[in-house]
Amino acid sequence: MQATYDVLIRHAEIVDGTGAARFDGDIGIEGDRIARVGDLSGARGRLEIDARGLVAAPGFIDAHTHDDRVMLSAGDMAAKVSQGVTTVIGGNCGISLAPMPQPAPATVTPPLDLLDNTGQWYRYARFGDYLDALRAQPAATNCAMLVGHSTLRVITMDDLARPASAAEIAAMRDHVTEAMESGAIGVSTGLAYAPAMAAPTEEVIEVCRPLTEYGGLYCTHMRDEGDEIMAALDETFRIGRELGVPVVISHHKLAGVNNHGRSVQTLQHIREAMARQPVCLDCYPYPASSTILTYRHAAGSSRTIVTWSRSLPQYAGRDLADIVREMGCSLEQAVERLLPAGAIYFRMDDADVRRILQFDETMIGSDGLPHDEQPHPRLWGTFPRVLGHYGRGLGLFSLEKAVHKMSGLTAARFGLADRGVVREGAYADLAIFDAGTVDERATFAKPIAPSQGIDTVLVNGAVVWRDGKPGGARPGRVLRRQAGA
């Protein structure tokens, strides 16, 4: 009897996400799962996709996002599905959209304003309420969410410029417990940001104590990514050891001219730590970062682009040096007039970026900011840039290795069961693309642009991107972490 599948992908070159060599085959999908992989020439599909000349790979997992709000406010997730992303990890850098006692404060404390600078989306009193909203109004992508330490400090403390008291630590720890019970995969910190700078290591450990019981992750935008990066790494490793949980080093980089080339040292230090405890890291494939605008960052950057300004929105997309000249004032004065605002900073060396990308255990995360008026091009271009510019163009790694870094590796490190691989029984999260042409189209001058070479993207068996536009389906799910998945 002829087999019939809900979706049948024919004649694909399959890169399965494990790092194994590619092979030719067909993929039969029933419901939300891959039912068969192999020669299905005698079968038919209710929807058939001819992938002749194309690669079929696991959908990419964005290891580091700030998509907490956009999944609710623009759930087609065009910036992500257009580049083959099917799952996003949110709540990073200590910033999560919940919990937030109601009514929320009228003024949003930076960097919480990276998710929403109006405050209207900080509407969820409990982390569970936020996850319930994501389940009730699914996005096109799956998500796995972290609760942010900076958010917890903002809602718990009356003075962020000091360590938390024992009572405040207990209150934050209760929020972490509630978040983990509701489905969070861990806690993130942003120790380089003002709301968390005064938090000593001991505070972070005590707030994160529930991670031990619930098998959660500790993900961190470390205290320093410049001159003091080695001490920041050691702090990160200590937190993981004392809690007995895996740590994720977010967007590993070396910032500042004085630190260019030091990735040789940091990667060796990370490799040595990996031999003693579970450690992993992610990286975005650009030598420029993006976050809130500060004078300190701008003063140490060879070039700064303003991505948004609430007080002077007309300057979004402009070089800060040009703005300073137009205003006829100092750099510090210009920054003060633009605040609150966001910016792109050119402070890294591409040789470090390449070295970190090539490191075997490096996952890929975009760190894109979807609510910036003129965002960093990584929001739309990260994953095709890895495949195109760094993989095919510079030859940093094979196609199989690149796909593994963006799928199977990430699923394993975050404990996302049956994701990140093409095999029978796995969820049907798939990216179909042209390996010979795939690349970013987004640039710093024109940052909002779908990538080239992405043909079709499926999430849980439903088409979310095809023919250069969103497919209309919203099949995304809130994923829980399963240690050892």
Side-chain angles (χ1 to χ4, degrees):
M1 182 176 177
Q2 187 182 53
T4 301
Y5 298 97
D6 292 328
V7 181
L8 179 56
I9 301 168
R10 295 190 183 276
H11 312 301
E13 187 174 47
I14 298 172
V15 177
D16 69 4
T18 68
R22 68 193 80 178
F23 60 93
D24 294 333
D26 308 319
I27 302 171
I29 299 169
E30 291 181 359
D32 60 358
R33 301 257 186 174
I34 296 171
R36 288 291 305 276
V37 178
D39 182 358
L40 303 178
S41 54
R44 68 183 184 89
R46 295 179 181 88
L47 169 64
E48 296 199 5
I49 298 171
D50 185 355
R52 198 183 312 268
L54 302 175
V55 167
F60 307 137
I61 301 171
D62 193 336
H64 188 101
T65 83
H66 295 282
D67 290 340
D68 307 45
R69 168 192 152 193
V70 75
M71 286 185 287
L72 294 168
S73 61
D76 66 4
M77 299 294 286
K80 295 301 171 69
V81 297
S82 64
Q83 51 183 312
V85 171
T86 56
T87 297
V88 300
I89 310 297
N92 282 286
C93 295
I95 311 162
S96 57
L97 206 57
M100 182 61 66
Q102 300 299 301
T107 302
V108 182
T109 303
L112 275 62
D113 53 359
L114 292 176
L115 296 182
D116 173 26
N117 61 26
T118 68
Q120 63 177 319
W121 285 94
Y122 280 98
R123 59 180 66 163
Y124 305 102
R126 299 167 60 257
F127 200 83
D129 297 336
Y130 168 64
L131 294 184
D132 286 344
L134 289 172
R135 295 182 184 108
Q137 185 183 320
T141 61
N142 303 308
C143 65
M145 306 304 295
L146 301 154
V147 62
H149 170 246
S150 290
T151 297
L152 299 183
R153 285 191 119 235
V154 166
I155 67 172
T156 303
M157 300 178 64
D158 58 4
D159 179 6
L160 296 171
R162 59 168 174 80
S165 67
E168 290 164 340
I169 288 173
M172 288 190 275
R173 191 164 52 229
D174 287 345
H175 284 300
V176 172
T177 297
E178 183 274 321
M180 296 302 296
E181 289 181 345
S182 298
I185 62 168
V187 174
S188 75
T189 57
L191 301 177
Y193 288 112
M197 283 180 180
T201 309
E202 292 74 17
E203 174 189 315
V204 176
I205 292 168
E206 293 309 316
V207 168
C208 292
R209 282 288 177 200
L211 295 181
T212 307
E213 176 184 354
Y214 290 94
L217 294 165
Y218 173 69
C219 303
T220 182
H221 178 152
M222 298 189 303
R223 203 174 293 274
D224 194 276
E225 296 174 316
D227 296 348
E228 301 301 321
I229 192 167
M230 298 302 286
L233 284 168
D234 286 339
E235 178 185 40
T236 298
F237 303 150
R238 178 192 164 193
I239 292 167
R241 284 195 309 272
E242 295 207 16
L243 293 170
V245 301
V247 299
V248 181
I249 300 164
S250 295
H251 45 58
H252 185 42
K253 68 173 79 69
L254 285 303
V257 173
N258 292 342
N259 297 298
H260 290 176
R262 290 186 67 196
S263 58
V264 174
Q265 179 187 17
T266 61
L267 291 174
Q268 179 60 30
H269 200 50
I270 291 168
R271 185 180 290 107
E272 291 168 357
M274 286 175 169
R276 301 187 299 268
Q277 64 185 103
V279 176
C280 54
L281 69 157
D282 65 69
C283 174
Y284 49 78
Y286 297 85
S289 61
S290 184
T291 184
I292 55 174
L293 177 64
T294 69
Y295 170 68
R296 181 173 65 88
H297 282 88
S301 178
S302 63
R303 180 189 179 195
T304 300
I305 302 172
V306 175
T307 56
W308 63 274
S309 169
R310 194 168 182 194
S311 56
L312 297 170
Q314 67 270 28
Y315 287 116
R318 298 282 306 280
D319 271 43
L320 184 55
D322 294 336
I323 296 171
V324 169
R325 280 192 292 270
E326 285 186 19
M327 287 185 173
C329 63
S330 69
L331 175 65
E332 188 170 9
Q333 289 170 327
V335 168
E336 190 64 32
R337 293 178 191 178
L338 290 162
L339 294 179
I344 294 167
Y345 304 102
F346 291 79
R347 298 191 299 155
M348 292 131 66
D349 180 41
D350 194 59
D352 284 317
V353 175
R354 295 195 302 270
R355 191 175 294 114
I356 295 167
L357 285 171
Q358 277 189 299
F359 188 68
D360 279 347
E361 290 294 314
T362 300
M363 305 175 290
I364 306 302
S366 71
D367 198 14
L369 299 171
H371 311 297
D372 283 6
E373 192 172 330
Q374 291 292 314
H376 191 302
R378 65 192 182 186
L379 178 66
W380 286 81
T382 286
F383 292 83
R385 179 174 169 86
V386 170
L387 293 169
H389 175 66
Y390 285 107
R392 188 180 64 248
L394 298 182
L396 289 193
F397 25 61
S398 67
L399 177 62
E400 289 89 344
K401 185 70 171 179
V403 169
H404 175 60
K405 285 175 167 290
M406 304 192 300
S407 58
L409 177 64
T410 317
R413 295 296 175 264
F414 281 90
L416 307 180
D418 295 333
R419 307 279 174 180
V421 290
V422 177
R423 61 164 169 75
E424 294 174 5
Y427 287 100
D429 296 344
L430 297 164
I432 301 171
F433 60 90
D434 185 337
T437 65
V438 64
D439 214 333
E440 64 174 341
R441 280 202 182 105
T443 65
F444 288 101
K446 294 183 178 180
I448 300 174
S451 299
Q452 64 186 31
I454 303 293
D455 183 271
T456 305
V457 181
L458 298 96
V459 173
N460 296 314
V463 174
V464 296
W465 182 265
R466 200 173 190 195
D467 299 325
K469 61 181 184 296
R474 303 285 179 88
R477 297 174 184 169
V478 177
L479 307 183
R480 285 181 176 263
R481 168 174 164 77
Q482 296 184 38

